[in-house]
Amino acid sequence: MPSTGYEGHGTWLASKGAYQDRSRASCYSDPRLKYRENNATLHQIPWPNRSPRIKAMKYANDGFAKTVADIHPTKLDGFIRECRGQQHSEAEGSLYIIESLDPDVIATLGHHFDIDPTVFMEQNTFRSGTRVSILPSLQRATGCLRLTYTELLALPPQALNNFHLLCSDSGRHIRVSRSYGQFSRVGMVLCKCSVLTRKRPSGNGWDCIVLCDPRVRTIRGEEPLPTFDVGSDPVDGGYVDFVPNGESHLSPGPPRTNMMDDLCFYMQNHSDLLPGQGPEAILLFVKKIIASHYLVLLNHLDLHAGNVTRRMERHSDLSDFDVLDVESQWSDAQAYRRRVHLFCEILESDMIQMGIPFETPNLNLNESDWMETIVDFQYLHMRFRQLASLTETLGEALNGLASVAGNRQALQTAHRSVKEARSAKALTFVGLAFIPLAYTASLFSMADPYGPGNERFWVYFAISLPLVVFVILAYYTLDLGYKPDNTNWSMNTLIVTVTSAWKGGRLS
């Protein structure tokens, strides 16, 4: 049998066993499973890169349990078997929240819940951008809802002035903005959250699996060392609690540290407020948390745009804008424009997966509509589109400012050139005056009667002074006889120029 080129590929994703064999076989349909992403190797990101955190909650007929079980990765297989082996009603189920993945956990989850290996591969991919490798019609073919969002993090002072920052654990790129030469102290990192729901083999009960990215703990540059610690406190306090104040004022609010901790908080404290079954409640809280992160990101980007435009407002003199500074800001504006469009495309991709149309939101809501998610994402989409339009206007304004600054610099250069030309003209005139004197002196130095103190010394002046006048007249004759374009000399041009100057009362 001829070699297919796939032997040995796909083994990196899961540990040895039946699921690794499935991963290898899936390489035929999805070549991305053959090996890890190239950037992971390029940036020396280890695999597995972090020990997984696993939390589990049980759902009964009376709702979710108020306690959360912490499952050690080595105990996950036994825990799942135990839960699935118990007798359940159709409404009962279990929630598994997994932060970070490793080959053993992937093999366990994939085997028990029949998960396509592509789900784990996509969750483990940290590439930037919005590259789509499958057709939109296949987005939900794996039974997984994968949403991407952005979290803000406060950068340590040691990591500033660097555009090439990475999460040390996952290799995710940390985006940083710069305005008028100043780097922002806030970084932006993409996060993913994948939600799957599976019916149990017995037909009674369900299992919901939520895969999420961990919090960024340390960051580094393109080289593995040094690394810098990142605090766990959210930027500016994080997002606003989306549960109405009347319902949430008795609780301390979500920790706002990562998806896992926030989702556990809402499931423990507010799942009883939702009318739906267990999986619907989980999905609603996931969407609400992600929408809240989008709103925080939107406000951050909007504030950045305001800071840039405010510097260009109400100026009567633009001489303070140096051309090099304006060019640098123009370059930063292009990066900002591209970034806003990127976030807008990611939001649109999320909306496609959730089946939300790109329409104007209906904001005619009442107090009980806080659980609505469609209007949240439609509003965010509208605002991001407005912000994208603002970035285009900002780019045009910076183009105009660069043109004004460039023209001002060109005018200053022209003034300096004119001044230098006048200085050169004066030096030339002085040189012309001294050339006849030097020539005459050298001529008469050969005979004593013409030297200083001798009886014929007056001849020196009688000859040299008329010669000076003659040389100056010859200079002006050549200079004034050229046409304005300095191409040809003519007597007519000389006569016209001298006549005009004479009538004007001066000769220059």
Side-chain angles (χ1 to χ4, degrees):
M1 182 177 179
S3 173
T4 61
Y6 290 88
E7 291 81 356
H9 295 305
T11 58
W12 66 274
L13 187 63
S15 56
K16 290 184 178 181
Y19 195 74
Q20 186 186 85
D21 296 337
R22 177 178 176 179
S23 176
R24 292 178 59 189
S26 298
C27 292
Y28 291 97
S29 59
D30 192 343
R32 297 176 299 168
L33 290 167
K34 290 176 57 178
Y35 40 74
R36 290 186 69 199
E37 193 177 21
N38 290 334
N39 284 340
T41 304
L42 178 64
H43 295 300
Q44 304 179 40
I45 305 300
W47 171 250
N49 48 47
R50 189 173 175 179
S51 178
R53 291 175 61 204
I54 305 173
K55 293 182 180 293
M57 296 182 68
K58 293 184 178 181
Y59 181 87
N61 293 326
D62 56 348
F64 277 96
K66 298 302 181 181
T67 58
V68 178
D70 289 302
I71 311 300
H72 192 274
T74 59
K75 306 294 184 180
L76 179 60
D77 182 76
F79 185 87
I80 296 175
R81 292 180 184 275
E82 179 182 352
C83 290
R84 289 196 151 193
Q86 298 172 356
Q87 295 294 326
H88 298 94
S89 66
E90 186 175 352
E92 292 179 324
S94 299
L95 166 63
Y96 300 91
I97 308 175
I98 298 93
E99 183 184 87
S100 297
L101 294 168
D102 68 13
D104 292 334
V105 170
I106 289 175
T108 300
L109 294 174
H111 170 71
H112 283 289
F113 301 117
D114 189 27
I115 301 176
D116 192 306
T118 301
V119 172
F120 298 113
M121 183 270 298
E122 287 284 1
Q123 182 67 29
N124 235 15
T125 300
F126 66 92
R127 64 172 179 264
S128 302
T130 56
R131 290 174 290 173
V132 178
S133 301
I134 59 177
L135 296 173
S137 58
L138 299 176
Q139 291 285 340
R140 298 297 300 275
T142 59
C144 172
L145 175 65
R146 180 180 302 103
L147 303 178
T148 304
Y149 61 100
T150 300
E151 289 185 355
L152 303 185
L153 62 151
L155 299 176
Q158 308 94 316
L160 297 179
N161 304 329
N162 190 350
F163 285 119
H164 305 286
L165 296 176
L166 303 173
C167 171
S168 302
D169 293 326
S170 63
R172 288 175 289 169
H173 176 53
I174 311 297
R175 291 175 169 80
V176 184
S177 298
R178 185 180 65 181
S179 175
Y180 295 103
Q182 297 294 323
F183 279 78
S184 172
R185 295 182 177 272
V186 177
M188 296 166 279
V189 58
L190 287 180
C191 303
K192 293 185 291 293
C193 182
S194 303
V195 182
L196 306 94
T197 301
R198 294 288 189 266
K199 280 286 186 181
R200 289 179 173 169
S202 62
N204 292 328
W206 49 266
D207 293 293
C208 183
I209 303 95
V210 178
L211 308 177
C212 51
D213 287 332
R215 177 182 67 86
V216 176
R217 300 181 304 177
T218 59
I219 61 176
R220 64 175 178 85
E222 292 185 318
E223 298 298 328
L225 294 174
T227 61
F228 310 101
D229 294 333
V230 177
S232 59
D233 295 334
V235 175
D236 296 331
Y239 61 84
V240 177
D241 189 358
F242 49 80
V243 176
N245 189 51
E247 305 290 352
S248 63
H249 70 283
L250 297 178
S251 63
R256 302 177 177 90
T257 51
N258 51 49
M259 175 62 76
M260 169 180 274
D261 295 339
D262 290 0
L263 182 57
C264 287
F265 167 83
Y266 282 110
M267 297 306 300
Q268 285 181 284
N269 295 277
H270 300 302
S271 60
D272 54 340
L273 300 176
L274 306 181
Q277 297 290 332
E280 290 80 5
I282 298 168
L283 194 56
L284 186 142
F285 282 132
V286 168
K287 292 179 180 179
K288 280 289 186 179
I289 294 172
I290 290 176
S292 300
H293 280 294
Y294 266 115
L295 186 59
V296 172
L297 173 65
L298 176 67
N299 292 332
H300 172 71
L301 295 173
D302 189 59
L303 178 63
H304 177 79
N307 292 336
V308 174
T309 55
R310 197 174 297 114
R311 288 281 300 271
M312 298 187 293
E313 294 176 350
R314 301 175 182 176
H315 282 276
S316 58
D317 183 7
L318 299 178
S319 59
D320 293 338
F321 289 92
D322 182 72
V323 174
L324 294 179
D325 292 338
V326 173
E327 290 176 349
S328 174
Q329 183 56 36
W330 178 87
S331 176
D332 292 338
Q334 300 309 304
Y336 174 73
R337 180 188 65 82
R338 179 175 56 83
R339 184 167 296 161
V340 170
H341 282 276
L342 169 66
F343 292 139
C344 189
E345 290 172 2
I346 293 174
L347 174 60
E348 290 176 347
S349 177
D350 288 349
M351 293 176 66
I352 290 174
Q353 291 209 50
M354 290 183 287
I356 300 177
F358 303 155
E359 298 177 353
T360 302
N362 179 15
L363 299 178
N364 186 21
L365 304 173
N366 53 50
E367 295 180 1
S368 61
D369 289 334
W370 68 269
M371 291 177 285
E372 179 63 50
T373 58
I374 294 178
V375 67
D376 291 338
F377 282 95
Q378 287 179 335
Y379 171 78
L380 290 167
H381 182 252
M382 178 185 68
R383 288 290 310 278
F384 267 99
R385 278 299 177 189
Q386 292 172 350
L387 186 60
S389 178
L390 175 61
T391 62
E392 300 293 343
T393 304
L394 179 60
E396 294 174 0
L398 286 170
N399 284 335
L401 180 60
S403 178
V404 171
N407 291 339
R408 180 182 293 276
Q409 186 180 53
L411 181 61
Q412 293 173 347
T413 302
H415 286 166
R416 286 196 298 267
S417 298
V418 171
K419 184 177 180 180
E420 292 171 356
R422 289 175 178 174
S423 300
K425 186 175 182 179
L427 292 175
T428 302
F429 183 82
V430 172
L432 289 173
F434 277 91
I435 287 175
L437 299 178
Y439 173 73
T440 305
S442 62
L443 179 65
F444 285 97
S445 65
M446 295 185 296
D448 290 339
Y450 304 104
N454 293 324
E455 57 179 329
R456 295 189 179 182
F457 182 60
W458 60 271
V459 178
Y460 169 77
F461 295 100
I463 296 177
S464 60
L465 292 179
L467 189 57
V468 168
V469 174
F470 172 76
V471 171
I472 292 175
L473 290 176
Y475 167 76
Y476 274 112
T477 299
L478 294 175
D479 184 54
L480 300 178
Y482 281 102
K483 294 181 179 181
D485 57 2
N486 293 325
T487 55
N488 297 313
W489 186 94
S490 69
M491 182 61 70
N492 291 334
T493 303
L494 175 63
I495 295 173
V496 172
T497 305
V498 172
T499 303
S500 300
W502 183 266
K503 290 181 179 180
R506 62 186 180 86
L507 185 65
S508 60

